[in-house]
Amino acid sequence: MRTNNQSFLRGAPADFILLGVSDRPWLELPLFAVLLVSYVLATLGNIAIILLSRLDPQLHGPMYIFLSHLSFLELCYTTTTVPQMLVNMSSSRKTISYGGCTVQYAIFHWLGCTECIILAAMALDRYVAICEPLRYVLIMHRPLCQQLVAVAWLSGFGNSLVQVVLTVQLPFCGRQVLNNFFCEVPAMIKLSCADTAVNDATLAVLVAFFILVPLALILLSYGFIVRAVLRIQSSKGRHKAFGTCSSHLVVVSLFYLPAIYMYLQPPSSYSQEQGKFISLFYSIITPTLNPFIYTLRNKEVKGALRRLLARVWRLRGG
Protein backbone atom coordinates (compact mmCIF):
# COMPACT_ATOMS: atom_id res chain seq x y z
CA MET A 1 0.00 0.00 0.00
CA ARG A 2 2.83 2.35 0.93
CA THR A 3 4.54 1.58 -2.38
CA ASN A 4 1.47 2.40 -4.46
CA ASN A 5 0.70 5.60 -2.57
CA GLN A 6 4.01 7.37 -2.52
CA SER A 7 3.78 10.97 -1.45
CA PHE A 8 4.42 13.78 -3.87
CA LEU A 9 7.51 14.71 -1.84
CA ARG A 10 9.56 13.13 -4.60
CA GLY A 11 8.34 15.85 -6.96
CA ALA A 12 6.29 15.82 -10.11
CA PRO A 13 5.86 12.52 -12.00
CA ALA A 14 8.09 12.01 -15.03
CA ASP A 15 5.23 11.18 -17.37
CA PHE A 16 1.64 9.98 -17.67
CA ILE A 17 0.23 6.97 -19.48
CA LEU A 18 -2.67 7.83 -21.79
CA LEU A 19 -4.83 4.73 -22.14
CA GLY A 20 -6.96 5.97 -25.04
CA VAL A 21 -8.54 2.78 -26.43
CA SER A 22 -5.86 0.40 -25.15
CA ASP A 23 -8.63 -1.83 -23.76
CA ARG A 24 -10.08 -2.05 -27.30
CA PRO A 25 -7.03 -2.64 -29.54
CA TRP A 26 -9.25 -3.41 -32.55
CA LEU A 27 -10.40 0.24 -32.45
CA GLU A 28 -6.93 1.76 -32.73
CA LEU A 29 -6.40 1.38 -36.49
CA PRO A 30 -9.83 2.72 -37.62
CA LEU A 31 -9.65 5.50 -35.01
CA PHE A 32 -6.14 6.40 -36.18
CA ALA A 33 -7.42 6.69 -39.77
CA VAL A 34 -10.43 8.80 -38.69
CA LEU A 35 -8.24 11.12 -36.61
CA LEU A 36 -5.65 11.53 -39.36
CA VAL A 37 -8.26 12.36 -42.02
CA SER A 38 -10.16 14.65 -39.61
CA TYR A 39 -6.96 16.46 -38.64
CA VAL A 40 -6.01 17.08 -42.28
CA LEU A 41 -9.53 18.30 -43.09
CA ALA A 42 -9.70 20.49 -39.97
CA THR A 43 -6.30 22.02 -40.75
CA LEU A 44 -7.08 22.72 -44.40
CA GLY A 45 -10.61 23.94 -43.68
CA ASN A 46 -9.65 26.34 -40.91
CA ILE A 47 -6.63 27.68 -42.82
CA ALA A 48 -8.94 28.28 -45.80
CA ILE A 49 -11.39 30.27 -43.62
CA ILE A 50 -8.53 32.36 -42.18
CA LEU A 51 -7.09 33.08 -45.63
CA LEU A 52 -10.48 33.95 -47.11
CA SER A 53 -11.24 36.31 -44.20
CA ARG A 54 -7.90 38.05 -44.69
CA LEU A 55 -7.64 38.13 -48.50
CA ASP A 56 -11.19 38.79 -49.68
CA PRO A 57 -12.37 42.42 -49.19
CA GLN A 58 -15.99 41.27 -48.93
CA LEU A 59 -15.15 39.21 -45.83
CA HIS A 60 -13.71 42.05 -43.76
CA GLY A 61 -16.93 42.61 -41.81
CA PRO A 62 -17.36 42.01 -38.06
CA MET A 63 -18.74 38.48 -38.46
CA TYR A 64 -15.64 37.38 -40.35
CA ILE A 65 -13.27 38.95 -37.83
CA PHE A 66 -14.83 36.65 -35.22
CA LEU A 67 -14.93 33.72 -37.65
CA SER A 68 -11.22 34.01 -38.49
CA HIS A 69 -10.33 33.98 -34.77
CA LEU A 70 -12.66 31.01 -34.24
CA SER A 71 -10.90 29.13 -37.05
CA PHE A 72 -7.46 30.04 -35.65
CA LEU A 73 -8.25 28.77 -32.17
CA GLU A 74 -9.74 25.56 -33.58
CA LEU A 75 -6.60 25.08 -35.62
CA CYS A 76 -4.64 25.40 -32.35
CA TYR A 77 -7.13 23.05 -30.61
CA THR A 78 -6.46 20.19 -32.97
CA THR A 79 -2.71 20.79 -33.15
CA THR A 80 -2.48 20.72 -29.34
CA THR A 81 -4.03 17.27 -29.02
CA VAL A 82 -4.28 15.26 -32.24
CA PRO A 83 -0.55 14.81 -33.17
CA GLN A 84 0.10 13.39 -29.69
CA MET A 85 -2.88 11.04 -30.06
CA LEU A 86 -1.66 9.84 -33.46
CA VAL A 87 1.85 9.18 -32.09
CA ASN A 88 0.44 7.23 -29.14
CA MET A 89 -1.88 5.16 -31.33
CA SER A 90 1.00 4.15 -33.58
CA SER A 91 3.25 3.23 -30.65
CA SER A 92 3.19 0.66 -27.88
CA ARG A 93 4.47 3.29 -25.41
CA LYS A 94 1.45 5.55 -24.88
CA THR A 95 2.97 8.24 -22.68
CA ILE A 96 3.19 12.00 -22.42
CA SER A 97 5.69 13.90 -20.27
CA TYR A 98 4.50 15.81 -17.22
CA GLY A 99 5.51 19.10 -18.85
CA GLY A 100 3.80 18.17 -22.12
CA CYS A 101 0.66 17.20 -20.23
CA THR A 102 0.64 20.53 -18.38
CA VAL A 103 1.09 22.52 -21.59
CA GLN A 104 -1.65 20.47 -23.26
CA TYR A 105 -4.37 21.07 -20.67
CA ALA A 106 -3.29 24.70 -20.20
CA ILE A 107 -3.70 25.48 -23.92
CA PHE A 108 -6.83 23.33 -24.22
CA HIS A 109 -8.67 25.19 -21.44
CA TRP A 110 -7.41 28.56 -22.67
CA LEU A 111 -8.82 27.90 -26.13
CA GLY A 112 -12.07 26.43 -24.80
CA CYS A 113 -12.93 29.47 -22.70
CA THR A 114 -11.89 31.81 -25.51
CA GLU A 115 -14.26 30.01 -27.86
CA CYS A 116 -17.15 30.43 -25.43
CA ILE A 117 -16.77 34.21 -25.53
CA ILE A 118 -16.13 34.43 -29.28
CA LEU A 119 -19.33 32.46 -29.93
CA ALA A 120 -21.20 34.92 -27.69
CA ALA A 121 -19.66 37.85 -29.61
CA MET A 122 -20.83 36.27 -32.87
CA ALA A 123 -24.36 36.02 -31.44
CA LEU A 124 -24.19 39.71 -30.51
CA ASP A 125 -23.15 40.50 -34.08
CA ARG A 126 -26.15 38.56 -35.46
CA TYR A 127 -28.48 40.31 -33.00
CA VAL A 128 -27.33 43.78 -34.10
CA ALA A 129 -27.43 42.79 -37.80
CA ILE A 130 -31.05 41.62 -37.60
CA CYS A 131 -32.56 43.73 -34.83
CA GLU A 132 -30.66 47.00 -35.48
CA PRO A 133 -29.79 46.82 -39.21
CA LEU A 134 -29.68 50.59 -39.75
CA ARG A 135 -27.21 51.05 -36.88
CA TYR A 136 -25.18 47.90 -37.58
CA VAL A 137 -22.11 49.65 -39.02
CA LEU A 138 -22.20 52.26 -36.27
CA ILE A 139 -22.47 49.72 -33.43
CA MET A 140 -20.31 46.83 -34.69
CA HIS A 141 -17.33 48.93 -35.74
CA ARG A 142 -13.91 47.34 -36.14
CA PRO A 143 -12.37 48.64 -32.85
CA LEU A 144 -15.28 47.13 -30.86
CA CYS A 145 -14.82 43.77 -32.60
CA GLN A 146 -11.09 43.84 -31.84
CA GLN A 147 -11.81 44.69 -28.20
CA LEU A 148 -14.27 41.79 -27.89
CA VAL A 149 -11.69 39.42 -29.40
CA ALA A 150 -9.02 40.72 -26.99
CA VAL A 151 -11.38 40.19 -24.02
CA ALA A 152 -12.04 36.63 -25.22
CA TRP A 153 -8.35 35.70 -25.49
CA LEU A 154 -7.29 37.42 -22.26
CA SER A 155 -10.13 36.05 -20.13
CA GLY A 156 -9.52 32.56 -21.51
CA PHE A 157 -5.85 32.88 -20.61
CA GLY A 158 -6.75 34.05 -17.09
CA ASN A 159 -8.99 31.03 -16.55
CA SER A 160 -6.30 28.67 -17.84
CA LEU A 161 -3.67 30.26 -15.59
CA VAL A 162 -5.83 29.71 -12.49
CA GLN A 163 -6.47 26.07 -13.47
CA VAL A 164 -2.78 25.39 -14.14
CA VAL A 165 -1.62 26.96 -10.85
CA LEU A 166 -4.10 24.81 -8.87
CA THR A 167 -3.55 21.59 -10.84
CA VAL A 168 0.29 21.57 -10.79
CA GLN A 169 0.13 21.60 -6.97
CA LEU A 170 -1.79 18.31 -6.87
CA PRO A 171 0.12 15.17 -5.80
CA PHE A 172 -0.12 12.09 -8.02
CA CYS A 173 0.48 8.78 -6.27
CA GLY A 174 1.18 5.33 -7.68
CA ARG A 175 0.92 4.79 -11.45
CA GLN A 176 0.00 7.95 -13.34
CA VAL A 177 -2.55 6.46 -15.73
CA LEU A 178 -5.06 8.73 -17.49
CA ASN A 179 -8.06 6.98 -19.00
CA ASN A 180 -8.18 9.53 -21.81
CA PHE A 181 -6.70 10.44 -25.19
CA PHE A 182 -5.07 13.63 -23.91
CA CYS A 183 -4.64 15.65 -20.71
CA GLU A 184 -7.61 17.57 -19.33
CA VAL A 185 -8.09 19.25 -15.96
CA PRO A 186 -11.05 17.07 -14.83
CA ALA A 187 -9.08 13.89 -15.58
CA MET A 188 -6.03 15.26 -13.74
CA ILE A 189 -8.14 16.15 -10.69
CA LYS A 190 -9.67 12.68 -10.67
CA LEU A 191 -6.20 11.11 -10.81
CA SER A 192 -4.83 13.00 -7.79
CA CYS A 193 -4.57 11.24 -4.43
CA ALA A 194 -5.11 14.44 -2.40
CA ASP A 195 -8.23 16.28 -1.28
CA THR A 196 -9.39 18.04 -4.44
CA ALA A 197 -12.35 19.97 -2.98
CA VAL A 198 -10.75 23.36 -3.79
CA ASN A 199 -9.94 22.26 -7.36
CA ASP A 200 -13.45 20.88 -7.85
CA ALA A 201 -15.08 24.06 -6.55
CA THR A 202 -12.81 26.40 -8.54
CA LEU A 203 -13.32 24.44 -11.75
CA ALA A 204 -17.09 24.38 -11.20
CA VAL A 205 -17.29 28.15 -10.61
CA LEU A 206 -15.05 29.10 -13.53
CA VAL A 207 -16.72 26.68 -15.91
CA ALA A 208 -20.17 27.86 -14.86
CA PHE A 209 -19.06 31.43 -15.58
CA PHE A 210 -17.37 30.73 -18.91
CA ILE A 211 -20.03 28.32 -20.20
CA LEU A 212 -23.32 29.47 -18.70
CA VAL A 213 -22.88 33.26 -18.94
CA PRO A 214 -21.94 33.28 -22.67
CA LEU A 215 -24.61 30.64 -23.35
CA ALA A 216 -27.22 32.79 -21.58
CA LEU A 217 -26.17 35.79 -23.71
CA ILE A 218 -26.39 33.66 -26.87
CA LEU A 219 -29.89 32.41 -25.97
CA LEU A 220 -31.00 35.94 -25.05
CA SER A 221 -29.68 37.29 -28.37
CA TYR A 222 -31.50 34.61 -30.32
CA GLY A 223 -34.66 35.22 -28.33
CA PHE A 224 -34.65 38.83 -29.59
CA ILE A 225 -33.68 37.65 -33.09
CA VAL A 226 -36.60 35.20 -33.27
CA ARG A 227 -39.01 37.90 -32.09
CA ALA A 228 -37.69 40.33 -34.73
CA VAL A 229 -37.78 37.74 -37.52
CA LEU A 230 -41.35 36.69 -36.75
CA ARG A 231 -42.41 40.31 -37.30
CA ILE A 232 -41.11 40.20 -40.88
CA GLN A 233 -44.09 39.97 -43.22
CA SER A 234 -42.32 38.26 -46.12
CA SER A 235 -41.65 34.53 -45.76
CA LYS A 236 -38.60 34.99 -48.02
CA GLY A 237 -37.30 37.70 -45.66
CA ARG A 238 -37.83 35.44 -42.64
CA HIS A 239 -36.02 32.57 -44.35
CA LYS A 240 -33.08 34.82 -45.27
CA ALA A 241 -32.84 36.20 -41.72
CA PHE A 242 -32.86 32.72 -40.18
CA GLY A 243 -30.37 31.55 -42.81
CA THR A 244 -27.80 34.11 -41.65
CA CYS A 245 -27.97 32.61 -38.14
CA SER A 246 -28.26 28.89 -38.88
CA SER A 247 -24.52 28.21 -39.25
CA HIS A 248 -23.74 29.90 -35.95
CA LEU A 249 -26.53 27.99 -34.16
CA VAL A 250 -25.20 24.65 -35.44
CA VAL A 251 -21.66 25.52 -34.29
CA VAL A 252 -22.94 26.66 -30.88
CA SER A 253 -24.81 23.35 -30.46
CA LEU A 254 -21.79 21.25 -31.47
CA PHE A 255 -19.58 23.11 -29.00
CA TYR A 256 -21.84 23.66 -25.99
CA LEU A 257 -23.65 20.32 -25.70
CA PRO A 258 -20.45 18.26 -25.14
CA ALA A 259 -18.93 21.00 -22.97
CA ILE A 260 -21.99 21.10 -20.71
CA TYR A 261 -21.89 17.33 -20.31
CA MET A 262 -18.16 17.32 -19.59
CA TYR A 263 -17.79 20.22 -17.21
CA LEU A 264 -21.09 20.97 -15.49
CA GLN A 265 -20.65 18.11 -13.06
CA PRO A 266 -18.07 17.46 -10.30
CA PRO A 267 -14.77 16.25 -11.87
CA SER A 268 -14.45 13.66 -9.11
CA SER A 269 -17.70 11.96 -10.16
CA TYR A 270 -17.75 12.13 -13.95
CA SER A 271 -17.44 8.98 -16.06
CA GLN A 272 -14.00 8.95 -17.68
CA GLU A 273 -15.08 6.21 -20.10
CA GLN A 274 -17.85 8.38 -21.52
CA GLY A 275 -15.94 11.61 -20.97
CA LYS A 276 -12.95 10.62 -23.08
CA PHE A 277 -15.11 10.02 -26.16
CA ILE A 278 -17.05 13.26 -25.59
CA SER A 279 -13.77 15.17 -25.28
CA LEU A 280 -12.52 13.43 -28.45
CA PHE A 281 -15.65 14.66 -30.23
CA TYR A 282 -15.27 18.35 -29.38
CA SER A 283 -11.49 18.34 -29.78
CA ILE A 284 -11.45 17.00 -33.36
CA ILE A 285 -14.92 16.43 -34.86
CA THR A 286 -16.25 19.93 -34.10
CA PRO A 287 -13.16 21.78 -35.47
CA THR A 288 -13.38 19.57 -38.58
CA LEU A 289 -17.07 20.27 -39.21
CA ASN A 290 -17.11 24.01 -38.46
CA PRO A 291 -15.31 25.24 -41.63
CA PHE A 292 -17.64 23.13 -43.78
CA ILE A 293 -20.70 24.37 -41.90
CA TYR A 294 -19.73 27.99 -42.56
CA THR A 295 -18.65 27.30 -46.14
CA LEU A 296 -21.64 25.24 -47.23
CA ARG A 297 -24.28 27.42 -45.56
CA ASN A 298 -22.82 30.87 -46.24
CA LYS A 299 -23.12 32.43 -49.72
CA GLU A 300 -20.47 35.07 -48.99
CA VAL A 301 -17.90 32.47 -47.93
CA LYS A 302 -18.71 30.26 -50.94
CA GLY A 303 -18.37 33.29 -53.23
CA ALA A 304 -15.04 34.24 -51.68
CA LEU A 305 -13.81 30.66 -52.07
CA ARG A 306 -14.78 30.64 -55.75
CA ARG A 307 -13.02 33.99 -56.32
CA LEU A 308 -9.87 32.73 -54.59
CA LEU A 309 -9.81 29.50 -56.60
CA ALA A 310 -10.40 31.45 -59.83
CA ARG A 311 -7.50 33.79 -58.95
CA VAL A 312 -5.20 30.82 -58.25
CA TRP A 313 -6.26 29.17 -61.52
CA ARG A 314 -5.52 32.36 -63.49
CA LEU A 315 -2.09 32.67 -61.87
CA ARG A 316 -1.30 29.06 -62.75
CA GLY A 317 -2.54 29.58 -66.30
CA GLY A 318 -0.61 32.83 -66.68
Side-chain angles (χ1 to χ4, degrees):
M1 187 75 173
R2 181 181 176 86
T3 307
N4 291 331
N5 292 284
Q6 299 269 335
S7 163
F8 62 95
L9 292 175
R10 291 188 179 184
D15 52 38
F16 291 94
I17 299 169
L18 295 167
L19 289 182
V21 287
S22 298
D23 56 334
R24 301 180 182 91
W26 56 272
L27 259 181
E28 288 200 337
L29 183 58
L31 191 56
F32 179 90
V34 169
L35 284 177
L36 181 60
V37 171
S38 298
Y39 181 58
V40 171
L41 290 176
T43 302
L44 294 176
N46 284 299
I47 288 175
I49 293 288
I50 294 168
L51 289 176
L52 289 174
S53 301
R54 291 287 184 267
L55 298 177
D56 196 291
Q58 295 186 32
L59 298 187
H60 287 176
M63 186 66 176
Y64 299 103
I65 293 175
F66 299 133
L67 181 56
S68 62
H69 280 271
L70 180 65
S71 294
F72 175 70
L73 70 84
E74 289 186 334
L75 189 62
C76 296
Y77 245 143
T78 52
T79 303
T80 301
T81 56
V82 178
Q84 176 70 42
M85 285 191 269
L86 292 173
V87 168
N88 282 355
M89 284 183 187
S90 60
S91 169
S92 58
R93 191 169 182 270
K94 306 179 186 302
T95 60
I96 183 172
S97 68
Y98 178 80
C101 191
T102 303
V103 169
Q104 196 172 71
Y105 68 70
I107 294 176
F108 194 80
H109 284 268
W110 179 11
L111 298 173
C113 293
T114 302
E115 183 161 353
C116 289
I117 299 176
I118 286 182
L119 289 173
M122 294 172 81
L124 172 65
D125 175 78
R126 292 299 85 201
Y127 161 74
V128 177
I130 293 173
C131 299
E132 299 287 344
L134 299 179
R135 302 173 58 203
Y136 178 73
V137 177
L138 182 65
I139 296 173
M140 297 302 297
H141 49 81
R142 192 173 187 85
L144 175 63
C145 297
Q146 291 171 338
Q147 288 166 11
L148 290 172
V149 167
V151 167
W153 284 101
L154 290 173
S155 56
F157 177 77
N159 167 73
S160 177
L161 184 62
V162 171
Q163 295 297 341
V164 170
V165 168
L166 289 175
T167 306
V168 295
Q169 298 180 58
L170 291 174
F172 300 98
C173 312
R175 293 181 70 225
Q176 283 77 46
V177 180
L178 282 169
N179 187 18
N180 210 329
F181 295 96
F182 54 89
C183 299
E184 278 192 293
V185 169
M188 300 295 289
I189 292 174
K190 192 173 181 65
L191 188 63
S192 175
C193 56
D195 180 9
T196 59
V198 173
N199 298 74
D200 286 351
T202 304
L203 181 63
V205 169
L206 289 174
V207 164
F209 178 79
F210 279 99
I211 290 182
L212 295 182
V213 173
L215 182 59
L217 293 174
I218 291 170
L219 295 176
L220 183 63
S221 297
Y222 276 102
F224 286 119
I225 288 171
V226 169
R227 188 178 69 174
V229 170
L230 291 178
R231 290 176 179 172
I232 299 174
Q233 299 297 322
S234 165
S235 60
K236 185 178 180 181
R238 286 196 299 270
H239 180 75
K240 183 179 179 181
F242 278 127
T244 63
C245 302
S246 58
S247 298
H248 181 246
L249 280 173
V250 172
V251 170
V252 166
S253 301
L254 287 173
F255 176 79
Y256 272 100
L257 292 177
I260 287 171
Y261 173 84
M262 280 293 297
Y263 292 106
L264 292 186
Q265 57 180 313
S268 56
S269 65
Y270 90 137
S271 167
Q272 284 194 347
E273 192 61 31
Q274 292 178 339
K276 68 180 179 181
F277 286 101
I278 296 289
S279 60
L280 185 66
F281 177 86
Y282 71 76
S283 66
I284 182 62
I285 303 301
T286 301
T288 302
L289 292 177
N290 285 356
F292 296 98
I293 291 168
Y294 276 107
T295 302
L296 295 175
R297 300 183 64 87
N298 189 304
K299 291 181 180 178
E300 292 179 338
V301 175
K302 284 192 287 188
L305 184 58
R306 281 195 295 268
R307 287 190 293 273
L308 180 62
L309 292 175
R311 194 185 314 168
V312 172
W313 184 259
R314 283 195 301 269
L315 289 174
R316 286 185 62 187

